[in-house]
Amino acid sequence: MIRNFAGIITASYKLIKVCEQIEKVATTDATILVTGESGTGKELVARAIHKLSKRSGNFISINCAAIPDDILESELFGYVKGAFTGAFNSREGKFQAANKGTLFLDEIGEMSLRLQAKLLRVIQEKTVQKLGSNVDEQVDVRIVAATNKNLRDEVVKGNFREDLLYRLEVVHFELPPLRERKEDISVLAHHFLEKFKSKYSKNISMSQSFIEPLKMHEFRGNVRELQNIIERAVLLCDSPELTSKDLPAYVLKNIDVKEEYKTDVCDKKELQTFNLDFDRINLVEFLTNIEKEIILRALEKAGGNKTVAAEMLNVNRTTLIEKIKRLCKEAA
Ligand SMILES: Nc1ncnc2c1ncn2[C@@H]1O[C@H](COP(=O)(O)OP(=O)(O)OP(=O)(O)O)[C@@H](O)[C@H]1O
Ligand SMILES: [Mg+2]
């Protein structure tokens, strides 16, 4: 069953369990740590937590890896006029901007030890001091932090404060990579198809030959990679249906060849290179061998998927299956 948790689309039992926990804790003030590989949906989860929290303030996001340490500090805490060269006016920081809302600290694993100490203080005291000021200001901010690093390893390496980790992971959600929830590939492909159909005003459907190789793909870039593949396909496709031809070459190349298909036509060692020897040539046998090799190669390239292979060869699926059966009989 396909579920939609405040924008998190999934049919995966693993992710549904995570989302059900998200629903439970969203309305509390608990600090939340979201971990998972790149592109698994950490920011989407943070936004869902905010939506479900019903907190009246804003969702404010800041990427701790993208900004140098001193600028991150002034972005987070704000500053008073004259706090440093160039501070011509006072400015509020992200903590204040997220007051009564949610502050999403993305890539928290990259934050310096110095700022980690300051963050810990904010979490404990619920107050912030602008740079250049010694006035404590009350803030009511729900913190959601995310990282694709293993923070326990970072603690061991001395890069992350253990006390901050305990504070952050009051609730910890680990998002499973897409390859561990393969049922989501088709579900999300359809979801993104609808999204990009309306974005680019195109009426396009998806054929099995498009979706099947995706189901076999590893998706190191997780959901973001799938989303990019669908967007590119919708953008570039001129026909009313997406087929294997609309997939990037690396998706077709990297799919594992299923053993059953390797032996489907004949044994692999029977693959031959053809030498024209007019003293002994048998035209029918020669053409059969060429046909056999082409079918084998197409099946390999299609990851064993007959629908995809048939499309590559421009024949009907049933024609291809008949040819495979005939070649198997001849090889027996
Ligand atoms: N379950 C999902 N349903 C719908 N869209 C999703 C889902 N998971 C991820 N996405 C979409 O995929 C893209 C990547 O997700 P997101 O930016 O949240 O990943 P991330 O884990 O923060 O990645 P990174 O570590 O690279 O920052 C976004 O456009 C997001 O909306
Ligand atoms: Mg992110």
Side-chain angles (χ1 to χ4, degrees), residues 96-235:
Q96 276 122 335
N99 197 21
K100 300 205 183 311
T102 306
L103 179 62
F104 176 49
L105 298 171
D106 201 3
E107 305 208 37
I108 186 88
E110 305 303 322
M111 187 181 264
S112 71
L113 286 164
R114 186 178 71 87
L115 286 187
Q116 288 174 33
K118 288 193 75 169
L119 172 61
L120 185 64
R121 184 167 176 271
V122 179
I123 295 174
Q124 281 167 343
E125 316 278 324
K126 299 192 185 312
T127 59
V128 287
Q129 268 185 18
K130 287 195 177 82
L131 301 188
S133 160
N134 50 19
V135 178
D136 283 334
E137 294 175 45
Q138 285 280 334
V139 281
D140 166 20
V141 175
R142 147 59 94 44
I143 306 264
V144 180
T147 181
N148 52 20
K149 282 189 166 174
N150 181 328
L151 289 185
R152 298 210 168 272
D153 290 349
E154 295 306 305
V155 168
V156 173
K157 286 185 209 156
N159 297 332
F160 206 82
R161 291 180 68 111
E162 195 170 21
D163 46 7
L164 178 60
L165 176 59
Y166 291 145
R167 283 284 174 169
L168 291 177
E169 65 171 10
V170 174
V171 179
H172 178 189
F173 296 124
E174 169 77 27
L175 304 184
L178 195 49
R179 65 183 169 282
E180 286 177 19
R181 45 180 167 118
K182 287 202 178 280
E183 59 273 49
D184 272 355
I185 294 175
S186 168
V187 168
L188 288 169
H190 282 95
H191 167 70
F192 293 134
L193 178 69
E194 291 309 313
K195 175 175 166 179
F196 295 117
K197 265 166 66 177
S198 84
K199 179 172 177 189
Y200 298 114
S201 307
K202 281 188 164 183
N203 196 9
I204 294 183
S205 63
M206 246 177 332
S207 72
Q208 281 300 101
S209 75
F210 181 82
I211 201 78
E212 291 299 327
L214 287 174
K215 287 187 191 163
M216 285 178 262
H217 185 56
E218 269 281 278
F219 284 106
R220 291 279 149 197
N222 292 294
V223 183
R224 182 177 296 108
E225 182 184 351
L226 175 61
Q227 182 172 236
N228 290 344
I229 289 173
I230 307 289
E231 180 166 20
R232 171 188 177 275
V234 172
L235 252 178

Side-chain angles (χ1 to χ4, degrees), residues 4 8 10 17 22 39 57 60 77 85 119 132 158 175 185 187 191 197 229 242 265 280 289 292 308 313 324:
N4 182 343
I8 307 166
T10 185
K17 258 177 75 179
I22 287 173
I60 303 286
F77 293 88
T85 325
L119 172 61
L175 304 184
I185 294 175
V187 168
H191 167 70
K197 265 166 66 177
I229 289 173
L242 297 176
V265 178
R280 294 198 276 160
N289 280 338
K292 194 189 288 180
V308 179
L313 298 172
I324 292 171

Side-chain angles (χ1 to χ4, degrees), residues 274 281-294 327:
F274 305 104
I281 195 164
N282 174 326
L283 183 61
V284 175
E285 195 181 303
F286 182 86
L287 292 177
T288 307
N289 280 338
I290 289 184
E291 190 178 39
K292 194 189 288 180
E293 174 145 358
I294 292 173
L327 292 170

